[in-house]
Amino acid sequence: MSTDRTEMPRAASDVGRWDVETDVLVVGYGCAGASAAFEAARAGAEVVVLERASAGGGSSALAGGEIYLGGGTSVQRACGFDDDAEEMAKFLMAALGPDADRAKVTLYAEQSVSHFEWLVERGVPFKPSLWDSPTWVPPTDDGLMWMGENSWPFTEIATPAPRGHRPTSNDFGGWLLMERLTTAVAAVGADVRCDSYVTNLVVGPGGEVVGAVARRYGTEYTVRARRGVVLTTGGFVDNEEMLALHAPQLVGHDKNSDGSDDGRGILMAQAVGAAVKHMSAGQIGISLIPGMIARGMIVNGQGQRFVNEDTYPGLVGQAALYRQGMDVWVIVDEQGYDDVPEPERWGVRPHHVAGTPEELADLIGIPPSGLRTTIDLYNEHAARGEDPFFRKSARWLRPLTPPFAAIDVRMGLRPPSEAGSGRSSGASVFTLGGLHTTVDGEVLDLDARPVPGLFAAGRATSGLHSWGYISGTSLGDGTFFGRRAGLAAARTIH
Ligand SMILES: Cc1cc2nc3c(=O)[nH]c(=O)nc-3n(C[C@H](O)[C@H](O)[C@H](O)COP(=O)(O)OP(=O)(O)OC[C@H]3O[C@@H](n4cnc5c(N)ncnc54)[C@H](O)[C@@H]3O)c2cc1C
């Protein structure tokens, strides 16, 4: 940790004058900040948003755009799926657990249809068509996709329904979500100030948060927030010290962020007594093509499978990093590779090819007998449409035939939104832990009491998740709990 403790709060009595005064101060202008600012301003509060970058967007604008929503949205119904809040909550508790936040998950599922409608009212378009195979981000503009709900063990826990909702954009759509949210924020008259890095909170005599200190082009200025400060500063994957302290297994991997996830918001809140939760948890974007492993397999350094390859690829990534130390290989045959359409391959090609499992194992340095046994057993069961070990869906089961290819996840991917060689650590990660908050975004202290005047949402908080992750739950909980935090701050009377 930094030794100078620069994030320690300032006393209001030491603030000579307030340069800016407002009712609600929102720090950070990604999806959570925009949602908070919108609701606070719509509730009649004066709102200032401070954003360190020269424009809003944050990681939210770089995102795939998948938003986890269900319970019977019009898009789900148009695609022929019945869904209800209870089944959605059951899935989320299992997929985001253990110890997913039950109060948040329950409320989120119960109000998911109305949150979907809120997004539509803000101009976020969703096309009523389904993308129906495993992928990170579909190359089409289909509005709905599966997020592992139809894979084991979730098929035995909750009635499957696809809940990944996508703004109408080919490939990545986070930019469209942010374009529509920032337009909505402008329409309700929030005062957005960019190039403003918030460094410290300001506290009153009773420890209540009454404002913040920001720096703009090297000059410090102060903002008084009469009702509350809402921290929506994102996670801490870009802060090496925090990673080493809280989430050491994420150290050394590529970072899935806009580069501004320095954890400052979390540190500033901790400095006024805030508690944190689930700080070691992370999303693991493993560098593989989900459609390839569904049609083939992923094996560890002993040549053994360790997960059903048709599940949400982030869960494959967690299994690969936390249980196998990223010592993993994708194995696919020619048909499995060819069946993945070129736009979905993101530049991935076979790195080693051989006529037998033993030769392939030799090439990649894993035990030949291990890979031979794995492929023989897989083929024997696949011929009967079964996967007794990991219960991959029969849809993807087919005996693999020579030649076999091995793909090295460390060679990376080239998603359409990114340039570069694609070389990778094998995983691109972001943090899931953060400030301990209520469903209304109140930041709790170590005694689980709200810190007066302090609210938070998005990846600066521990949201729906504990350990597990499903795509769409970040933009989902960021917008949903961002709205609630903004509203709660607007209604606060000190
Ligand atoms: C490539 C990629 C794809 C992804 N795809 C998906 C997806 O499809 N679905 C999904 O749910 N999630 C996805 N994610 C994750 C998701 O984008 C983030 O978790 C989410 O956007 C976080 O939202 P936020 O509002 O909390 O933070 P952000 O959107 O990161 O916004 C935080 C803002 O705060 C600003 N800020 C930070 N510190 C300060 C400070 N001290 N003072 C002032 N401003 C500050 C930052 O500059 C930033 O603009 C993806 C992430 C990436 C990088």
Side-chain angles (χ1 to χ4, degrees):
M1 301 305 305
S2 53
T3 47
D4 59 357
R5 305 294 293 164
T6 55
E7 65 275 0
M8 292 308 282
R10 306 269 180 93
S13 53
D14 292 341
V15 173
R17 73 184 166 91
W18 297 106
D19 298 300
V20 179
E21 299 206 23
T22 187
D23 292 326
V24 174
L25 169 61
V26 176
V27 185
Y29 199 27
C31 71
S35 304
F38 177 83
E39 290 294 5
R42 190 162 72 155
E46 212 182 318
V47 177
V48 168
V49 181
L50 298 185
E51 164 57 50
R52 67 182 286 183
S54 296
S59 295
S60 306
L62 303 180
E66 293 146 12
I67 310 174
Y68 202 82
L69 299 162
T73 66
S74 59
V75 168
Q76 287 181 305
R77 281 187 276 110
C79 293
F81 294 97
D82 282 333
D83 193 15
D84 68 48
E86 216 174 301
E87 297 305 311
M88 177 175 170
K90 277 196 237 165
F91 172 77
L92 286 176
M93 287 305 294
L96 307 183
D99 194 37
D101 190 317
R102 187 172 291 281
K104 286 182 181 170
V105 166
T106 304
L107 189 71
Y108 183 75
E110 280 171 0
Q111 298 190 4
S112 191
V113 172
S114 67
H115 188 51
F116 165 81
E117 284 160 4
W118 180 89
L119 289 161
V120 172
E121 281 160 22
R122 305 287 79 74
V124 183
F126 297 97
K127 191 173 147 192
S129 56
L130 176 72
W131 172 267
D132 189 22
S133 73
T135 184
W136 286 113
V137 180
T140 62
D141 64 357
D142 292 310
L144 191 62
M145 64 188 285
W146 294 95
M147 290 294 177
E149 300 92 339
N150 55 353
S151 70
W152 188 83
F154 307 116
T155 42
E156 294 177 4
I157 293 170
T159 308
R163 302 192 185 92
H165 285 65
R166 306 180 57 236
T168 312
S169 159
N170 289 332
D171 299 313
F172 286 56
W175 66 272
L176 180 55
L177 171 72
M178 286 311 299
E179 183 191 270
R180 298 300 155 92
L181 291 182
T182 51
T183 302
V185 170
V188 289
D191 175 3
V192 178
R193 297 171 181 228
C194 293
D195 300 309
S196 296
Y197 183 61
V198 174
T199 55
N200 305 80
L201 294 173
V202 179
V203 291
E208 71 278 15
V209 174
V210 296
V213 180
R215 222 171 35 224
R216 186 163 197 270
Y217 305 139
T219 304
E220 200 171 272
Y221 69 100
T222 54
V223 183
R224 179 180 176 214
R226 289 180 286 262
R227 301 192 192 175
V229 173
V230 187
L231 296 172
T232 61
T233 45
F236 61 93
V237 75
D238 296 309
N239 183 324
E240 293 298 331
E241 287 177 274
M242 285 180 81
L243 272 192
L245 189 63
H246 298 292
Q249 283 167 302
L250 304 185
V251 171
H253 291 287
D254 302 334
K255 294 163 194 314
N256 210 8
S257 89
D258 64 343
S260 68
D261 284 353
D262 68 357
R264 184 75 182 196
I266 297 172
L267 293 174
M268 286 189 292
Q270 285 186 289
V272 300
V276 290
K277 263 180 91 171
H278 299 143
M279 292 290 275
S280 58
Q283 147 69 354
I284 315 301
I286 184 169
S287 304
L288 53 72
I289 300 303
M292 281 181 204
I293 55 167
R295 292 170 171 91
M297 60 173 67
I298 183 165
V299 299
N300 63 17
Q302 285 73 50
Q304 296 160 334
R305 292 172 69 215
F306 54 91
V307 69
N308 48 325
E309 295 91 349
D310 59 344
T311 195
Y312 171 65
L315 298 179
V316 175
Q318 288 191 327
L321 177 61
Y322 296 125
R323 301 214 306 263
Q324 309 297 337
M326 226 56 200
D327 182 15
V328 297
W329 291 89
V330 173
I331 307 293
V332 69
D333 66 1
E334 204 164 342
Q335 184 183 335
Y337 183 81
D338 287 346
D339 281 353
V340 177
E342 206 275 333
E344 291 172 50
R345 291 186 201 150
W346 289 10
V348 168
R349 294 204 219 132
H351 301 120
H352 305 274
V353 178
T356 66
E358 288 83 355
E359 285 164 16
L360 190 67
D362 265 343
L363 288 172
I364 62 180
I366 66 175
S369 59
L371 189 60
R372 158 64 71 187
T373 307
T374 298
I375 292 181
D376 283 352
L377 267 176
Y378 181 86
N379 284 353
E380 183 190 324
H381 295 133
R384 297 198 295 267
E386 293 169 4
D387 176 18
F389 296 143
F390 297 102
R391 326 261 184 105
K392 181 152 74 174
S393 159
R395 175 179 173 190
W396 304 108
L397 293 171
R398 175 183 57 75
L400 305 183
T401 55
F404 304 106
I407 297 169
D408 184 349
V409 298
R410 286 152 291 264
M411 295 302 282
L413 303 174
R414 236 169 276 129
S417 64
E418 292 170 25
S421 73
R423 258 189 186 282
S424 155
S425 67
S428 188
V429 302
F430 63 83
T431 56
L432 297 175
L435 298 168
H436 186 189
T437 52
T438 66
V439 293
D440 287 315
E442 297 159 298
V443 175
L444 299 176
D445 69 14
L446 296 175
D447 288 328
R449 287 179 312 215
V451 177
L454 190 60
F455 302 83
R459 285 288 60 78
T461 68
S462 176
L464 299 165
H465 326 82
S466 65
W467 188 251
Y469 186 79
I470 293 292
S471 186
T473 53
S474 277
L475 297 178
D477 85 2
T479 50
F480 182 80
F481 293 106
R483 290 175 61 199
R484 294 183 68 87
L487 202 53
R491 288 178 176 159
T492 299
I493 311 280
H494 286 304

